[in-house]
């Protein structure tokens, strides 16, 4: 099953579970993907930035992917394939597809600056991995330091038929989504799935601007699923009510560097992971930070019982 | 009256009001600072990044400052004095102090990288403007691209007796505030006012970490004042309840580039400014963006009647 | 007299002479521009990055310009007009033109990233200063951190009729010059003067690629003039012979930050400036650095008697 | 045989030879390292930035290293081990040492900014690879975008006993070498080999400032060897005479992005490589660029017969 431009819904970005000693916690990995399948996630993304992918050995990465594929049972699993060289990108991509992945996600390296450099990079990367593998373009300037205009995205999509999805996490990004959708309505941009991320901070309005769904790692993906469904059903107030209830915690997750520690801590408290450990190097959460998250969880539990831990 | 390390409370960052044709709207300027004085702001900052300072002529800047000083009636007015050259920094600083400013705010230029460069810059800048002018150090890496460790901040404070305040808008910044306060408790850092900003996105917890107050430009500074007061009074839940009610709008303001347009639009809708115009170059708000803000205001009005417009 | 696309030859970038106490050395300024006129420079550029422009007061800048205009006696004087705000850029530009400047040079601010941002900036800047002022576009990514593709340069030239010259100091930049000249031969880019700089490090080949001349600050502008003339006369070996003799010193000047100190030191040793002082902040030359320059001068003097000091 | 702080002389940075189709040209690899051994190189560095290391598969990297070790016959082979994750860095480093490498070179990732981040990174990296492997710290801000002060270098050396060499390619870097040597003379910095690079552009003076030798990839490493020997023998003029004769070509190599193409082209013309191909992505040399290099070679051949091809 290959990813295509009709993809929609919620594809959580999966963390990689570790034991305190830095080895992978395979039991938690099973638990994690069973959880995603159980809540009705429409797909999942592994080995992204949040998945601590550069710290994994190739065989670890492949094993994690296979666990995801097994649990997701036919639903798309996207694999982060960004790499400094095209050789590594190619071998990871092709092994991943053989292991059952539905497509690969490629972020631009932070050396790219001009429109030509960015567009040229995707042409070369896709030539390297093969044009038969569906590609997700990751637009995340806060992390990659690469700024893609809507025009560059259109150019990438036009020049590379295998690009089927945009992971849209520019900030601000609302007008960009509106413009891409306008171009599609006008027929100057072909169909493309737009999944939003950037921690989910603007999910409420991004859905109203035309996003197909969410592709982020918030520790309560059930909220993402509900908000996407409310929004698609036209229940605007319900979508915002639920989103706003989670916003204080979601905002707390939105701390560069510390965000992953918050997510893993919440997932541990929820019983989805056995430990909140990260493989080195990684930024931990102080005792006061944990107490602040606990306080936010207790406040959230007043309106969303899923936060009652 | 000079700024000193005991400064606390809320010092709103003031926008500069313009007419649609790009000339300064002096009547709105009067209205604006009367508004800040009327709600009980403890001070105000003018000519910051948000104040479109680099777009002003020197005489415009001075006139705006004088209006602020007049309305604030003895409360401190801080002046943004960042400039590419020390000559301009000196002349602006000294003219501002003569006109009644309480101190100047200096952000590091984005060419600085190493600890030595950053610390050295403040020594030279303060030598240029004169050691008699109270200085606010602005720590805003998202905009300045300069990363100051807590150790560098301590070094700047230690080497420059005229530094009396830190405008803390690192992100994440909670642990930094805790560490600076710990150093003060241990006696290895002298007294220093810490005012938080970064759009207010973490004001709730920053106050609990030891901030003295807020120095940001959110379009409802009354909320900032209330949250700071609740927090100082130990009313934790009340502080968070009010903060959380405003968070959806505050988060919407937190869009790089577009944020000022949102603020000016809300202040115009509130009747504090006659127009939401910016002097060129400036990023506007689309019709859909304005409708989204209106929707957020209507939702906020359900819990905070000050948002009923 | 206004700058136009036929401009060619050597336009030295002038330093600003200071006394040791940081005040401007007006006598040396007279001497300096008399020197440029005397050696047959085809024009001169003042108030550029090398001219320590951001450290000057507006009235100092204007007085320096007037001295240049007086001595250059009808030959074009270009004025650096880069500024953080369009208001300052406009007032400086218009005052400069009134004082006799032939055009202004504008470098893009280092926040620009995408092709659209860069092209849009020049449209807005030129709208601000007025379309009647001839403009030099400075393409200097090592300093500005802005990368302009040949396509973006063509777009700027096409969208702004007042752009008449490119100060080409990209690195590597040879192919860029060739491509722009190819486009002109094909008729897809209108006439444009291309003056090369980047310290002169590739002047020998840049001339062969089609540059119109040199616009840099090497301390022996006579060499630049000779190499440009040899090259235009088709005396390839003579051009390279002279260039190569100067290359060890020219290369030594090519040290970021320290370069200006080297240039001022050599110009002082040549008797063109009374002092090698820079206004603060500025990087000096150590005793060993000066001895190295002296050694290079003595070696150069073996083949170019103008270096015999 | 392990690298230690007494290392000196010339360690060329080796390119990786490819066929036109992108596969490794193993025969040229044999030829290349035999060449380095034959001219009397004191060591060699493989898998650096210039060696296109990120484009190699792990088994290719290892095989290349083994060829180098075989030909260098007991002389030190340094291996570039920079990697986005510590897991990959560890496995590459340990396999390399087992295969006969003398030490590894680690460049800081371009996300590091503050002194603490840089120093902390080396502590963690060395913990990851093991404290028994000799480490070369690469200080190359033009490429890594990481600025290390002399103080940070001293801190890294002091905190990590396994650091034995600095690859010094800051620009400007002369004063940095002098200061590090001064600290060693004063006893506040332990012995450390300082090998200079940055394309060799300042080798003449860097040797006089106290460098132990050269660690760069200029296509005539024989010149580097001669200049280092002249300089160590106190033959200042002879060192500069030879260096200056090569400077026009060496300067031409010093073009970011294109430099490797120039080097491979010259080495192909010299018969050291069968092809000047790079593995994708890579920047080629235009026909005019090749003609310019040919011209420079013919000029060089007038004074250095090794350039007669």
């Amino acid at each position: 099953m290959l990813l295509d431009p009709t993809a929609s819904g919620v594809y959580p970005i999966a963390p990689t579970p570790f034991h305190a000693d830095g080895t992978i916690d395979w039991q938690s990995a099973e638990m994690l993907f069973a959880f995603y399948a159980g809540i009705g996630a429409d797909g999942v993304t592994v080995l992204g930035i949040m998945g601590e992918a550069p710290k994994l050995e190739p065989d670890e990465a492949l094993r994690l992917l296979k666990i995801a594929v097994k649990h997701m049972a036919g639903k798309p699993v996207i694999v982060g394939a960004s790499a400094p060289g095209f050789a590594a990108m190619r071998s990871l991509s092709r092994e991943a597809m053989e292991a059952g992945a539905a497509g690969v996600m490629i972020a631009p390296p932070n050396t790219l600056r001009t429109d030509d450099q960015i567009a040229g990079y995707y042409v070369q990367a896709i030539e390297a991995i093969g044009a038969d593998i569906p590609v997700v373009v990751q637009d995340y300037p806060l992390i990659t330091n690469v700024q893609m205009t809507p025009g560059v995205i259109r150019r990438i999509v036009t020049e590379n038929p295998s690009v089927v999805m945009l992971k849209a996490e520019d900030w601000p990004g609302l007008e960009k989504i509106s413009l891409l959708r306008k171009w599609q309505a006008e027929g100057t941009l072909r169909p493309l799935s737009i999944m939003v991320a950037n921690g989910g901070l603007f999910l409420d309005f991004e859905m109203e601007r035309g996003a197909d769904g969410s592709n982020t790692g918030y520790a309560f993906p059930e909220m993402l699923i509900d908000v996407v469904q409310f929004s698609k059903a036209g229940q605007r107030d319900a979508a915002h009510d639920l989103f706003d209830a989670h916003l204080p915690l979601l905002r707390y997750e939105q701390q560069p560097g510390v965000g992953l520690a918050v997510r893993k801590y919440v997932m541990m408290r929820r019983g989805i992971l056995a430990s909140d450990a990260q493989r080195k190097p990684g930024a931990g959460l102080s005792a006061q930070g944990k107490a602040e998250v606990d306080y936010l969880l207790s406040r959230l539990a007043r309106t969303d019982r899923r936060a009652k831990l």
Side-chain angles (χ1 to χ4, degrees), chain A:
Chain A
M1 209 234 28
L2 296 179
L3 199 67
D4 70 45
T6 66
S8 77
V10 174
Y11 286 53
I13 303 286
T16 299
F18 293 102
H19 292 295
D21 66 1
T23 57
I24 294 190
D25 175 357
W26 295 110
Q27 198 172 338
S28 284
E30 300 277 352
M31 205 152 63
L32 176 70
F33 293 105
F35 165 76
Y36 289 136
I39 61 172
D42 301 284
V44 76
T45 294
V46 297
L47 306 176
I49 294 165
M50 177 187 161
E52 302 177 59
K55 303 182 205 162
L56 301 189
E57 302 278 0
D59 58 331
E60 292 176 328
L62 209 61
R63 182 169 164 192
L64 192 79
L65 165 64
K66 286 175 180 169
I67 295 174
V69 168
K70 178 182 74 180
H71 285 282
M72 293 308 290
K75 287 182 177 169
V77 178
I78 300 170
V79 176
S82 303
F86 288 154
M89 191 185 291
R90 175 184 171 82
S91 56
L92 172 56
S93 296
R94 302 215 69 89
E95 282 173 12
M97 295 307 290
E98 265 180 54
V104 302
M105 179 167 68
I106 300 173
N110 65 8
T111 49
L112 304 181
R113 300 295 298 273
T114 69
D115 290 6
D116 287 348
Q117 287 171 343
I118 301 167
Y121 180 81
Y122 277 98
V123 168
Q124 290 186 300
I126 287 167
E127 186 187 297
I129 66 170
D132 54 324
I133 299 182
V135 169
V136 180
V137 170
Q138 186 173 18
D139 179 20
Y140 198 5
L142 187 66
I143 296 295
T144 63
N145 207 14
V146 175
Q147 291 187 22
M148 302 187 197
T149 58
V152 162
I153 293 169
R154 176 161 63 177
R155 186 170 154 191
I156 293 169
V157 171
T158 302
E159 292 176 352
N160 304 284
S162 60
V163 171
V164 297
M165 184 186 284
L166 174 70
K167 186 168 186 228
E169 31 196 347
D170 197 356
W171 177 51
L174 295 174
E175 298 301 327
K176 193 182 251 186
I177 297 170
S178 291
L179 182 54
L180 292 173
R181 289 311 191 203
K182 177 168 168 279
W183 284 346
Q184 293 183 316
E186 294 169 358
T188 61
L189 174 65
R190 68 171 169 79
L192 176 77
S193 173
I194 299 180
M195 302 288 266
V196 293
N198 191 21
L201 199 61
F202 290 88
L203 177 61
D204 48 350
F205 289 111
E206 286 166 335
M207 288 306 299
E208 301 176 7
R209 295 292 186 120
D212 289 302
S214 172
N215 190 198
T216 190
Y218 180 54
F220 283 90
E222 304 96 316
M223 181 277 277
L224 305 176
I225 293 173
D226 291 350
V227 166
V228 167
Q229 286 177 350
F230 281 136
S231 190
K232 290 192 171 177
Q235 296 178 257
R236 187 183 202 190
D237 288 345
H240 282 273
D241 287 346
L242 180 59
F243 180 83
D244 288 357
H246 281 265
L247 187 51
L249 176 60
L250 189 145
R251 170 273 328 235
Y252 197 93
E253 265 192 7
Q254 202 80 348
Q255 295 183 69
V258 183
L260 179 58
V262 178
R263 284 179 179 172
K264 284 193 154 182
Y265 176 72
V266 174
M267 293 177 103
M268 181 184 72
R269 288 230 37 214
R270 296 192 67 190
I272 304 167
L273 300 177
S275 159
D276 63 350
Q278 294 177 46
R279 184 170 278 184
K280 288 182 185 177
L285 206 54
S286 70
Q288 193 164 356
K290 288 179 181 176
E292 288 166 346
V293 174
D294 290 343
Y295 178 66
L296 287 169
L297 285 169
S298 72
R299 288 177 59 83
L300 175 58
R302 298 176 313 181
T303 50
D304 188 334
R305 59 179 175 68
R306 292 171 294 202
K308 190 161 279 169
L309 306 179

